[in-house]
Amino acid sequence: MTDITPNDARKASNNATTEAVKRSLARRNRKQLVLQGFGIGAIVIAFTVLFILVASLVRTGYTAFVQTHVTLDVYIDPAEISEEGLPRGGFRDVLTAAVLDNLPGADPEEDARGVRNILSNGAQFQLRDQIVEDPSLIGQTITLTVPLSDPFDQLNKGGVRRDTPEDQRRVDNQEMAWFDALDEAGIISTPFNIGLFTNADSRFPELAGLKGALVGSFWALLTCFLIAFPIGIGAAIYLEEFAPKNRLSDFIEVNINNLAAVPSVVFGLLALAVFIGWFGLPRSAPFVGGLTLALMTMPTIIIATRAALKAVPPSIREAALGVGASKHQVVFQHVLPLAMPGILTGTIIGLAQALGETAPLLLIGMNAFITSAPTSPFDAATALPTQIFIWADSPERGFTSRTSAAILVLLGFLVMMNGIAIYLRNKFERRW
Amino acid sequence: MNDMRLTERNMTDHKIKMQARGVDVFYGHDQAIKNVDVDIEDNTVTAFIGPSGCGKSTFLRCLNRMNDTIDVCRVTGDIRLDDEDIYDPQVDPVQLRAKVGMVFQKPNPFPKSIYDNVAYGPKIHGLATNKAELDEIVEKSLRRAAIWDEAKDRLDQPGTGLSGGQQQRLCIARAVATNPEVLLMDEPCSALDPIATAQVEELIDELRERFSVVIVTHSMQQAARVSQKTAFFHLGELVEYGETSQIFTNPQDTRTESYITGRIG
């Protein structure tokens, strides 16, 4: 009974181990649960914040995607508009008369001024353009759909509340009655706001659009890509594949990494001093914006490219060297093609960052008020983020919703670019 | 009795293909190879054996100057291929590697088609003037590597889709496609299962007819099976070099004896 066989001793020690593991197991499992809980909590918080952001943008911005229009039968009165006197034609009066036709209660003399303000200031130019194109319309009655001015647009979309006391409301009772009359006549419509994408900036919110900003951003990004991509890849290939590893290359590497962390406003100041002040390039031009963004994007591309080159397994390099490929053949025929998806992903993410960059563009004057889209990268223009900046500064209610709408458009482009990056990464992902 | 067998094996007396004299290799300040002299014969399989870290792979990589790609690596001494100093400044390592092919430890086909894998070497060296010639080289190389039958119907499929043993034979085909004079193999079977290993070993024996083969191996059985000459490395030194039969049956050095009997290593 007292003698313990070796077998018993082993059993006892086994049991001790089992007990010890059991005791610590509960503690370890608890720790894992806590960690998991933190992780899930973090994700929930992140998504909630994101949801609130997007939801608030959509809530304020969705009204900018539709625009209140009125459809009028306009009699082009030859007394007001003649072919010879087109530039001085009374387009506005003709339109006002057309609105008055639908408002039996309004006095053509006394109320003309008030009624005129129902239509957007851009309506007369729309009519003029149409008649300049086809002068035979003079003397005829045409059907024309024109935007309403911002206060009435807001009244229709609910931006101006009807229960506000009259003295605090932008639309007085008389104007409200006119609008209701037009609405009852069934000529008010709220179609999709194409103007948001086809118009350039304007003083009048109902006419302001993103075309100038979109074209400006396009030129800036194109310039940025054409400059940053080849230079960035070239620098990365040299540093990673050819440069001797010494103090100088270490120094360069540290500086490139630091460059990626330099605040963007500093690049803007640099661009202002060098590109505009010294080289004499035009102010507010997307080309200069692109150059500035290229300075910022280049470190990102260099870092991404170096990481992608490093990720190509050494066995592939050895294989190529082993059959007698020269150094540049190894790099350009084997390593670079394999690193391309990583490089492209990094580049697109760099460009997406550049698309949203505001501060450097403010400093080179891309926040100017420009009412036509640029036709070349050297014309003055705005970019999407600076356009948002300008609109956010404007007091009219119409610009509030347009600011949110522009942010949504910008976010849309960012999501699209990141989507392309993910697609490329997945498509070309390789296993060795 | 042993002497009898020695003379038997010694009958094959080939000319010397590569000759190394007083080779030292340094990684930074550490000396990895100390004063190694080896003669590698033509149409012979020479095996380098020794415990891990003994420098056998390092020495192998000196023979086609693969060590050039490592910044801190420095090679001194004299290595000759057909009496030409391969470390002469006038010799381009690219040219050398076309003559001294290499097969690596881990199968490393390019992520390209089987055809392109084999055709790559001949293409960059300009060994084929037209597509028909290239096709011929590819077929010949794949046949020599004993993988033609498995690969002929899927030449346009990626080489990375083959099994491990097939991949290694594809790599051998790629190495022989440039028609090298010496074939270096760095533990070519260490990632393969016994069946694939047997296939590759059989292949090595066939390759001996055309090439001088140098193989680094951890498996002493493999060295005994495939090689005619064996070099035993220990701590960066070449301890013993001679006929395989002699090394395995009648080692002159006590360290060799300890290693092959399993006491060190």
Side-chain angles (χ1 to χ4, degrees):
Chain A
M1 207 162 134
T2 47
D3 55 353
I4 297 165
T5 66
N7 223 357
D8 289 338
R10 216 177 78 197
K11 227 179 238 169
S13 102
N14 275 354
N15 280 341
T17 311
T18 314
E19 282 307 307
V21 169
K22 241 185 217 165
R23 257 180 280 119
S24 73
L25 205 57
R27 189 164 40 83
R28 282 188 275 179
N29 284 345
R30 207 164 46 238
K31 269 193 181 162
Q32 189 174 335
L33 272 181
V34 169
L35 196 65
Q36 252 173 9
F38 270 120
I40 293 170
I43 288 171
V44 167
I45 290 171
F47 266 90
T48 312
V49 171
L50 189 69
F51 178 77
I52 291 171
L53 173 77
V54 174
S56 75
L57 281 175
V58 170
R59 205 175 60 83
T60 50
Y62 80 97
T63 55
F65 287 101
V66 291
Q67 182 68 43
T68 315
H69 283 70
V70 61
T71 307
L72 299 168
D73 291 325
V74 186
Y75 171 57
I76 319 281
D77 189 351
E80 295 277 2
I81 301 164
S82 61
E83 204 169 344
E84 306 81 56
L86 264 183
R88 283 172 285 105
F91 301 102
R92 211 167 181 184
D93 296 335
V94 169
L95 283 167
T96 311
V99 180
L100 280 169
D101 283 348
N102 289 293
L103 298 172
D107 182 284
E109 296 297 319
E110 250 173 60
D111 294 331
R113 197 182 161 78
V115 169
R116 202 166 67 183
N117 285 339
I118 296 176
L119 298 184
S120 160
N121 191 45
Q124 49 179 327
F125 302 116
Q126 194 180 331
L127 178 62
R128 185 193 61 192
D129 290 348
Q130 202 165 342
I131 294 173
V132 167
E133 204 173 287
D134 182 10
S136 69
L137 291 175
I138 295 172
Q140 296 183 26
T141 300
I142 59 169
T143 308
L144 193 66
T145 303
V146 293
L148 292 189
S149 67
D150 186 47
F152 292 91
D153 181 38
Q154 293 301 327
L155 180 70
N156 181 36
K157 292 181 198 166
V160 170
R161 294 173 64 105
R162 286 165 182 269
D163 49 12
T164 325
E166 190 181 4
D167 53 348
Q168 290 170 23
R169 203 180 328 121
R170 282 175 69 203
V171 185
D172 64 26
N173 287 344
Q174 173 68 74
E175 289 170 327
M176 229 157 77
W178 286 337
F179 175 80
D180 291 340
L182 293 176
D183 203 9
E184 261 162 51
I187 54 177
I188 298 285
S189 59
T190 341
F192 179 73
N193 185 8
I194 302 164
L196 187 65
F197 300 98
T198 56
N199 293 349
D201 199 8
S202 166
R203 242 168 358 105
F204 306 100
E206 72 273 13
L207 296 176
L210 285 169
K211 188 182 176 193
L214 288 171
V215 177
S217 269
F218 170 77
W219 285 123
L221 276 192
L222 187 69
T223 311
C224 172
F225 173 77
L226 290 179
I227 290 171
F229 188 68
I231 296 182
I233 289 190
I237 289 177
Y238 178 74
L239 286 173
E240 193 58 43
E241 302 287 339
F242 295 100
K245 301 278 172 281
N246 54 26
R247 273 185 189 195
L248 180 66
S249 58
D250 283 349
F251 177 75
I252 292 173
E253 179 166 358
V254 168
N255 275 286
I256 287 172
N257 290 341
N258 282 341
L259 215 54
V262 168
S264 54
V265 68
V266 176
F267 285 106
L269 282 169
L270 179 79
L272 181 62
V274 176
F275 297 144
I276 295 177
W278 193 11
F279 294 170
L281 290 170
R283 218 169 287 171
S284 308
F287 178 72
V288 179
L291 287 179
T292 317
L293 296 175
L295 288 179
M296 292 183 39
T297 314
M298 225 164 346
T300 314
I301 293 181
I302 292 176
I303 292 168
T305 305
R306 293 190 68 174
L309 291 174
K310 259 192 204 127
V312 174
S315 65
I316 295 294
R317 294 165 203 270
E318 287 199 322
L321 283 173
V323 294
S326 65
K327 183 83 198 177
H328 91 267
Q329 284 172 325
V330 174
V331 172
F332 287 96
Q333 294 173 354
H334 295 283
V335 178
L336 201 56
L338 293 177
M340 221 43 188
I343 296 173
L344 289 180
T345 309
T347 304
I348 292 171
I349 287 169
L351 286 178
Q353 221 173 23
L355 176 65
E357 203 53 70
T358 323
L361 301 184
L362 295 180
L363 282 164
I364 59 159
M366 284 190 79
N367 57 338
F369 174 69
I370 294 151
T371 53
S372 61
T375 51
S376 84
F378 299 97
D379 291 346
T382 57
L384 269 177
T386 49
Q387 191 66 62
I388 292 167
F389 183 80
I390 299 168
W391 283 355
D393 244 9
S394 307
E396 287 90 344
R397 279 308 288 269
F399 280 123
T400 315
S401 59
R402 272 178 158 69
T403 305
S404 297
I407 294 172
L408 285 174
V409 170
L410 179 63
L411 286 180
F413 275 105
L414 291 177
V415 167
M416 203 172 74
M417 289 173 82
N418 287 328
I420 292 172
I422 291 169
Y423 170 77
L424 283 176
R425 195 169 52 208
N426 290 344
K427 179 163 184 202
F428 293 107
E429 196 173 43
R430 280 176 198 278
R431 296 183 197 290
W432 281 280
Chain B
M1 177 123 180
N2 277 329
D3 287 335
M4 284 285 291
R5 291 184 56 179
L6 251 175
T7 44
E8 249 172 69
R9 284 257 188 160
N10 260 338
M11 295 234 290
T12 53
D13 198 22
H14 299 288
K15 82 178 187 55
I16 289 165
K17 189 74 194 166
M18 292 192 90
Q19 190 177 47
R21 287 292 174 268
V23 175
D24 292 308
V25 180
F26 299 89
Y27 286 114
H29 294 291
D30 302 324
Q31 189 166 6
I33 296 286
K34 294 167 194 156
N35 195 23
V36 167
D37 300 344
V38 169
D39 291 333
I40 288 158
E41 292 175 9
D42 209 0
N43 302 107
T44 304
V45 177
T46 308
F48 290 174
I49 59 168
S52 293
C54 68
K56 53 193 189 302
S57 284
T58 301
F59 183 71
L60 187 78
R61 293 164 66 97
C62 290
L63 299 178
N64 68 345
R65 291 183 60 175
M66 278 302 267
N67 285 335
D68 287 17
T69 56
I70 302 166
D71 280 337
V72 294
C73 184
R74 200 156 50 79
V75 180
T76 62
D78 190 45
I79 302 178
R80 290 173 178 276
L81 172 65
D82 288 334
D83 235 26
E84 191 189 6
D85 183 4
I86 64 168
Y87 278 89
D88 189 283
Q90 292 191 332
V91 171
D92 193 318
V94 167
Q95 205 183 350
L96 173 72
R97 287 178 202 136
K99 286 201 260 180
V100 183
M102 188 155 189
V103 176
F104 297 86
Q105 185 170 359
K106 208 180 122 221
N108 55 357
F110 299 131
K112 301 180 180 203
S113 72
I114 293 173
Y115 183 93
D116 286 340
N117 260 285
V118 182
Y120 181 70
K123 245 190 230 166
I124 58 172
H125 295 304
L127 300 182
T129 48
N130 56 43
K131 179 85 168 74
E133 269 182 52
L134 196 61
D135 287 348
E136 200 187 312
I137 294 177
V138 170
E139 180 178 343
K140 202 170 70 183
S141 308
L142 287 169
R143 277 191 195 282
R144 273 191 197 159
I147 193 182
W148 172 251
D149 290 333
E150 290 145 274
K152 66 178 180 222
D153 297 325
R154 46 195 290 199
L155 288 176
D156 55 342
Q157 285 174 32
T160 40
L162 297 169
S163 74
Q166 289 172 328
Q167 283 189 18
Q168 193 62 300
R169 278 180 285 147
L170 175 64
C171 291
I172 293 172
R174 183 176 64 191
V176 299
T178 55
N179 214 2
E181 295 163 27
V182 181
L183 196 57
L184 308 178
M185 303 181 127
D186 190 356
E187 297 178 42
C189 300
S190 66
L192 305 184
D193 66 29
I195 294 168
T197 301
Q199 286 169 328
V200 171
E201 281 179 7
E202 202 175 314
L203 180 59
I204 291 169
D205 199 49
E206 285 165 24
L207 292 172
R208 180 161 71 96
E209 285 172 22
R210 299 185 153 270
F211 312 101
S212 164
V213 181
V214 185
I215 177 171
V216 164
T217 175
H218 263 129
S219 152
M220 277 172 288
Q221 290 84 345
Q222 184 172 58
R225 281 194 299 262
V226 300
S227 72
Q228 286 78 50
K229 292 271 196 172
T230 297
F232 170 64
F233 286 81
H234 187 57
L235 300 175
E237 283 175 68
L238 177 65
V239 174
E240 194 167 350
Y241 177 55
E243 298 291 324
T244 300
S245 55
Q246 187 210 333
I247 297 276
F248 280 96
T249 54
N250 187 20
Q252 306 297 306
D253 196 288
T254 49
R255 286 172 292 177
T256 316
E257 194 185 354
S258 313
Y259 181 68
I260 59 176
T261 52
R263 267 176 289 165
I264 59 170

